Amino acid sequence: MPVLAFATTLSFSGWIAIAVTIAVFLVMLLYRGVPTDLLFLGAVVGLAMLGVLSPRAALGGFANPGVLTIGALFVVSAALRVTGVLDRVGNQLLGTAKTVNQAFRRLMVSVLAISAFIMNTALVAMFVPIVLDWCRRRGISPSRLLIPVSYFAIMGSTCTLIGTSTNIIVNGLLKEEYRAEEQRIEQGTAAYGHLEGFRTELRPMWLFEIGAVGLPCALVGSLYLWFFGRRLLPDRTDMIEQLDEQRREYLVEMLVQPECHLVNKTVEEAGLRHLRGLFLLEINREGDVLTPVTPNDTVRAGDRLIFTGVVTTIVDLEKIPGLVPAGEPTYDFSPEGERTRQLSEAVLSPSSPLIGTTVRRANFRRLYNAGVVAVHRNGKRLKTKIGDILLEAGDTLLLQTRSGFTDRYRHSRDFYLVADVAGSEARQTSRAWLAILLLFVLVVWLMVTSWFDSAGPLSGLGSPAIAGIAIAGLMVVGRCLPLSEARASVDMHVLVTIAAALGLGKALTESGAAEWLAHGFVGIFGSQNPYVLLVLLYILTVVFTETLSNAAVAIMLFPFGVAMAAAGGFSPRPFVMAIALAASLSFLSPIGYQTNLMVMGPGGYRPRDYLRVGWPLALSIAVVALILIPIVWPFQLGS
């Protein structure tokens, strides 16, 4: 096979690109709370300032069709939530299920199928409260079902082009590289011109192409979960009682105000000894801690009462006049404010500006007009004082909010899940039929886009970005969701991260770093056995994905995969598809994929739960993928 004669030395710009990329990886590994969008944006701006990238190349990712497609699909997914389409499907599926096995089987089929066409993060956000409600009514621990919901959504999303942002971005990179090589051929500067058929193998994917391997992987993974994986799931019986009392147990600190009628009464007289689902752990009086609390201890003004309890009992506790949450002293506790207050729960996302700050410094009152009552983390209540808790991604916050808080922030990038404790959000069910119709139109549109010539008069109809934006616009015009909610549903953290990562990937390509690394990689492992290279690339992608942003990993490994194929004289398609699949199939940790983190708090999971259930799943799917990829997309270049 012909091997490209790359230069043995790397330019200074190439070394800078590699150094910046390594620095970005190390910062994300060592500092979990770092905002990845700002990190990647800073890296690509720095490369532009150092002359490694032109400003146009550095910021070109913000006009990338793949990024725009993902933004449009956020709006489409939000419309399906707002109109109650996903609610209706979920409730009908689980409504008549009576056992865990029945619920598991129905979730397996439905989540796999729906996640192929709906962004998996949006789907999991809708299914979590449905599963929790079913578990509460049946007295079953949600830890038996929520990890599978995340895993099914991940596996199903690899069956089509639009199920996950990773596939969309990789397809956009393929299209960009295909057109760039086409232009180079016209200019007589083709990079791969001597490799017959190489450009053809860079053609964009069609809607179900990746499903040729993604679907078998999903089927094998589902069979593993059904026969073996579900037996490895934790059965946290302590979660059942918490669900009966409206989900999680919290540690709550209440402040006794001077006007409270409990002042100068004993604990027994105040009725604080035998509250159902609530226990008074200690009394903090100006730094002196009374514990254990006895029935004869007296309550005084200024005391901080530390309770452990579940949500509904906390609601009852807050109804006592003069007894207020101590976590947010600046919150409005006036009688006028009480009439408009309610409790809400929210799960922090990694993009929240609150990550890495304490509750006291977060200033919820200013940011959200809300107060933190308690924090729940990784299936355990936190025993630290509320104000001193250092917030982390995945924390479940019990908030005292104003009415309308859920409507305002349910699509905010700061939170994965937002729900009122005492009620459910209203749905515009009258528009459900229109949302379903428009989704169907979008799927059909994307299926036929490959029929249009990208340079012909109907090129606009052949653009996935144009299709997504058009359908998202029709969702708004058709009143499936208000314009304000459409804007709020677009996760700018994700889009900025992807757009900036595209610039970083461009730096690796244009500086020659990707070619230089690929040439060395092929030289070390040999150019006669592409399968070894494929396996190593797949493993490398999986390892990076479990610790870093999956989309960013795919973007930065894409030029490396293409260059490695060119260096060995192989088709780039199997290597590109391996990157797309491995970057999406993350099962080993809660931080490897957003949906894994989303179910961690509600399911009461710990990091080791993902590893115990996920490693056989990741291994079995890797075996299937690595067997099928070379069969579906051969290494040999066609004519």
Side-chain angles (χ1 to χ4, degrees), residues 174-472:
L174 278 170
K175 183 178 295 187
E176 183 178 302
E177 189 65 23
Y178 182 87
R179 290 177 176 172
E181 181 65 5
E182 197 173 50
Q183 292 174 359
R184 288 192 291 261
I185 290 175
E186 293 175 356
Q187 298 167 1
T189 59
Y192 316 114
H194 65 292
L195 295 174
E196 189 175 2
F198 196 93
R199 181 181 67 89
T200 303
E201 294 301 299
L202 292 171
R203 67 190 181 277
M205 287 184 267
W206 66 287
L207 184 62
F208 295 107
E209 181 178 358
I210 198 168
V213 175
L215 181 58
C217 288
L219 292 176
V220 169
S222 299
L223 290 174
Y224 156 75
L225 287 173
W226 173 254
F227 288 106
F228 305 104
R230 61 194 177 103
R231 292 176 172 81
L232 300 176
L233 290 165
D235 185 9
R236 304 242 152 83
T237 54
D238 59 318
M239 293 294 292
I240 299 175
E241 180 180 350
Q242 295 171 28
L243 284 177
D244 287 337
E245 298 291 342
Q246 285 283 350
R247 303 180 189 170
R248 286 153 291 285
E249 186 182 69
Y250 292 95
L251 194 74
V252 185
E253 186 176 351
M254 306 296 288
L255 178 65
V256 181
Q257 295 185 322
E259 65 273 17
C260 182
H261 72 273
L262 304 181
V263 173
N264 296 326
K265 291 185 178 179
T266 65
V267 171
E268 186 75 39
E269 292 171 343
L272 300 178
R273 285 292 297 172
H274 303 292
L275 294 172
R276 185 171 179 268
L278 197 69
F279 183 72
L280 180 58
L281 291 176
E282 65 182 52
I283 299 176
N284 188 317
R285 181 171 298 155
E286 297 180 352
D288 295 329
V289 178
L290 305 180
T291 185
V293 179
T294 69
N296 297 322
D297 285 329
T298 303
V299 178
R300 297 180 184 174
D303 282 353
R304 293 174 177 263
L305 309 181
I306 314 300
F307 293 92
T308 176
V310 289
V311 173
T312 50
T313 58
I314 296 171
V315 173
D316 294 336
L317 199 63
E318 284 200 326
K319 293 178 181 177
I320 301 175
L323 196 61
V324 298
E328 185 65 51
T330 62
Y331 197 73
D332 179 13
F333 296 115
S334 65
E336 294 76 13
E338 284 187 18
R339 287 193 288 269
T340 59
R341 290 207 311 265
Q342 64 185 57
L343 288 177
S344 301
E345 288 184 294
V347 181
L348 288 180
S349 74
S351 60
S352 172
L354 308 172
I355 302 301
T357 64
T358 63
V359 171
R360 183 177 292 106
R361 288 190 286 114
N363 200 346
F364 272 81
R365 174 73 175 91
R366 178 177 57 81
L367 290 176
Y368 306 108
N369 196 23
V372 180
V373 177
V375 181
H376 188 88
R377 176 179 299 160
N378 297 353
K380 300 178 180 178
R381 65 174 184 269
L382 298 181
K383 298 180 180 180
T384 309
K385 287 185 177 181
I386 300 298
D388 297 331
I389 294 174
L390 197 66
L391 296 173
E392 298 178 2
D395 284 352
T396 302
L397 309 182
L398 182 63
L399 303 173
Q400 194 171 64
T401 64
R402 299 290 189 187
S403 56
F405 176 86
T406 300
D407 291 333
R408 285 193 300 274
Y409 294 106
R410 66 168 172 246
H411 298 311
S412 170
R413 70 181 183 88
D414 298 353
F415 308 109
Y416 272 145
L417 300 168
V418 179
D420 292 333
V421 169
S424 59
E425 57 186 13
R427 299 297 190 195
Q428 301 179 28
T429 55
S430 63
R431 295 290 169 179
W433 64 271
L434 181 58
I436 295 173
L437 176 62
L438 290 174
L439 175 65
F440 176 77
V441 171
L442 176 61
V443 172
V444 174
W445 190 342
L446 292 173
M447 287 178 62
V448 302
T449 50
S450 59
W451 298 352
F452 295 98
D453 184 358
S454 59
L458 297 178
S459 59
L461 292 174
S463 168
I466 294 297
I469 293 171
I471 296 299

Side-chain angles (χ1 to χ4, degrees), residues 53-80:
L53 282 174
S54 66
R56 183 184 183 89
L59 302 177
F62 290 92
N64 184 279
V67 176
L68 299 176
T69 303
I70 293 170
L73 290 179
F74 278 133
V75 177
V76 173
S77 298
L80 294 171

Side-chain angles (χ1 to χ4, degrees), residues 87-98:
D87 277 335
R88 186 177 302 177
V89 171
N91 288 325
Q92 287 182 349
L93 286 169
L94 289 183
T96 58
K98 294 181 173 58

Side-chain angles (χ1 to χ4, degrees), residues 10 133 136 147 160 208-209 272 297-298 315 402 404 473 485 549 598:
L10 183 63
D133 182 65
R136 182 169 58 250
I147 276 183
T160 70
F208 295 107
E209 181 178 358
L272 300 178
D297 285 329
T298 303
V315 173
R402 299 290 189 187
E485 293 193 19
S549 165
M598 290 167 70

Side-chain angles (χ1 to χ4, degrees), residues 394-604:
D395 284 352
T396 302
L397 309 182
L398 182 63
L399 303 173
Q400 194 171 64
T401 64
R402 299 290 189 187
S403 56
F405 176 86
T406 300
D407 291 333
R408 285 193 300 274
Y409 294 106
R410 66 168 172 246
H411 298 311
S412 170
R413 70 181 183 88
D414 298 353
F415 308 109
Y416 272 145
L417 300 168
V418 179
D420 292 333
V421 169
S424 59
E425 57 186 13
R427 299 297 190 195
Q428 301 179 28
T429 55
S430 63
R431 295 290 169 179
W433 64 271
L434 181 58
I436 295 173
L437 176 62
L438 290 174
L439 175 65
F440 176 77
V441 171
L442 176 61
V443 172
V444 174
W445 190 342
L446 292 173
M447 287 178 62
V448 302
T449 50
S450 59
W451 298 352
F452 295 98
D453 184 358
S454 59
L458 297 178
S459 59
L461 292 174
S463 168
I466 294 297
I469 293 171
I471 296 299
L474 289 174
M475 290 282 193
V476 175
V477 173
R479 293 182 295 165
C480 293
L481 79 168
L483 180 59
S484 59
E485 293 193 19
R487 288 170 174 160
S489 68
V490 178
D491 193 333
M492 292 305 299
H493 166 75
V494 171
L495 298 186
V496 171
T497 299
I498 293 173
L502 285 168
L504 195 55
K506 181 75 71 175
L508 292 172
T509 303
E510 293 190 355
S511 66
E515 292 179 342
W516 184 80
L517 289 170
H519 185 64
F521 202 79
V522 173
I524 293 173
F525 295 102
S527 62
Q528 301 304 313
N529 193 344
Y531 193 76
V532 173
L533 299 176
L534 182 72
V535 172
L536 291 173
L537 182 62
Y538 187 97
I539 294 173
L540 185 67
T541 307
V542 168
V543 171
F544 281 163
T545 299
E546 292 298 341
T547 54
L548 308 172
S549 165
N550 57 316
V553 169
I555 290 167
M556 285 185 282
L557 289 181
F558 176 88
F560 176 67
V562 172
M564 187 168 63
F570 310 120
S571 166
R573 209 155 189 83
F575 297 97
V576 169
M577 293 299 184
I579 291 172
L581 288 165
S584 296
L585 297 168
S586 174
F587 308 109
L588 301 179
S589 71
I591 62 173
Y593 207 88
Q594 288 182 345
T595 58
N596 289 343
L597 190 61
M598 290 167 70
V599 301
M600 188 173 185

